[in-house]
Amino acid sequence: MSKDVIASEALKKHMAEDRHGSRLGPVIHDIVYGGNDGIVTTFAVVAGTIGADLPHYVVIILGLANLFADGTSMASGSFLSIKSEMDQYKRLRKEELQEIEEIPEMEREEVKLAYAKKGFSGKELDAIVKTITADNDRWADVMMQEEHGMTEESASQPLLHAIMTFISFLLFGSIPLMPYVFGIHEDIRFKVATFSTFAALVLLGLTRSIVTRERLFRGPLEIVSVGALGALVAYGVGVLLRGTVGVAF
């Protein structure tokens, strides 16, 4: 077996290792975004209604309404946001291709300047610029990344991101409602909901830390802190309204 074949096999094995990122890496943003918002907003409904001393069926109605309405809203917002980025990418790339045709020398100098800033110079720099500018599509891709900070991958698969956001929102957002849906005794419902919400936030934080390979405690600490702040605000508003508005059932 030749050295090139051995090197190629070794490279394939190396690229397949976990150190090159989890399969959840491309959608971890959607999981954290949807999951965190689902937990916080649904628990905010629970905390706000409990703070206002409203009946448990109100918690279920408002919680489920929030779960599906807000989840759908977030998913559609994610889809439209990435779709808009995709449209912008296509428009800018079309403009870059047009500039390459009309003012190639100027565009060639932009490539040269970009790679000179990376530390290349002399014949090495000239060779890089020559290779890049030998193909207009490759040239346009480089200009999109260097000039606009955009790649085709960063503006792709809007439907996948929308679906992952929705699923994450529903899965994590339903946790604070479980004690009310399954009829746990009213004396401990809110305590169980609070504990379950805390556990869900920790789980979401651990998921983020594992996928992004950051320190394990960092993800849970940040997400629990943000979630606790939202819950406290919601509960406080509920208590305030109970004392000032005088809602009665």
Side-chain angles (χ1 to χ4, degrees):
M1 187 178 292
S2 68
K3 291 183 179 180
D4 290 341
V5 173
I6 294 174
S8 177
E9 292 298 323
L11 178 60
K12 289 180 181 178
K13 184 178 179 181
H14 175 67
M15 294 296 292
E17 292 178 358
D18 288 342
R19 71 184 67 183
H20 288 279
S22 166
R23 291 183 179 180
L24 292 178
V27 294
I28 187 61
H29 169 269
D30 310 300
I31 294 173
V32 172
Y33 180 54
N36 184 72
D37 199 84
I39 295 169
V40 173
T41 57
T42 307
F43 186 74
V45 170
V46 174
T49 51
I50 295 302
D53 198 23
L54 301 179
H56 81 280
Y57 64 82
V58 176
V59 177
I60 297 175
I61 294 172
L62 293 181
L64 290 176
N66 168 81
L67 197 62
F68 287 95
D70 204 9
T72 302
S73 175
M74 287 192 66
S76 60
S78 175
F79 177 84
L80 292 174
S81 175
I82 297 175
K83 183 67 167 57
S84 298
E85 188 176 351
M86 181 187 298
D87 292 340
Q88 183 184 28
Y89 175 86
K90 290 179 179 178
R91 178 182 63 81
L92 290 173
R93 192 175 186 280
K94 185 178 179 181
E95 291 178 0
E96 288 295 341
L97 284 168
Q98 185 176 350
E99 289 178 350
I100 288 171
E101 291 290 340
E102 295 175 354
I103 48 174
E105 291 303 320
M106 185 69 70
E107 293 298 296
R108 188 174 286 106
E109 285 301 313
E110 288 186 3
V111 174
K112 189 172 184 178
L113 178 61
Y115 280 83
K117 288 180 179 180
K118 297 178 186 293
F120 296 99
S121 61
K123 293 182 179 180
E124 187 179 33
L125 177 60
D126 292 337
I128 291 173
V129 174
K130 184 178 180 180
T131 300
I132 290 173
T133 57
D135 180 84
N136 284 3
D137 284 326
R138 180 169 60 235
W139 192 348
D141 289 339
V142 170
M143 293 304 298
M144 286 299 297
Q145 186 168 5
E146 298 297 335
E147 188 173 353
H148 303 289
M150 298 179 71
T151 63
E152 188 174 7
E153 290 76 17
S154 67
S156 64
Q157 297 182 298
L159 184 59
L160 172 63
H161 292 287
I163 291 173
M164 290 304 298
T165 299
F166 183 74
I167 291 175
S168 183
F169 188 98
L170 252 61
L171 286 178
F172 285 98
S174 63
I175 293 174
L177 288 176
M178 291 298 102
Y180 296 88
V181 172
F182 290 109
I184 293 178
H185 194 276
E186 61 181 353
D187 291 341
I188 60 171
R189 272 188 208 135
F190 187 59
K191 291 180 180 178
V192 174
T194 302
F195 177 79
S196 299
T197 299
F198 175 80
L201 288 169
V202 171
L203 177 61
L204 183 62
L206 285 173
T207 302
R208 194 190 82 172
S209 292
I210 291 170
V211 173
T212 60
R213 297 187 179 279
E214 61 187 9
R215 293 181 179 177
L216 274 183
F217 68 85
R218 181 180 174 183
L221 180 62
E222 291 180 351
I223 290 180
V224 169
S225 298
V226 172
L229 178 62
L232 287 173
V233 170
Y235 185 77
V237 169
V239 172
L240 180 64
L241 290 177
R242 180 178 62 184
T244 58
V245 180
V247 180
F249 286 85

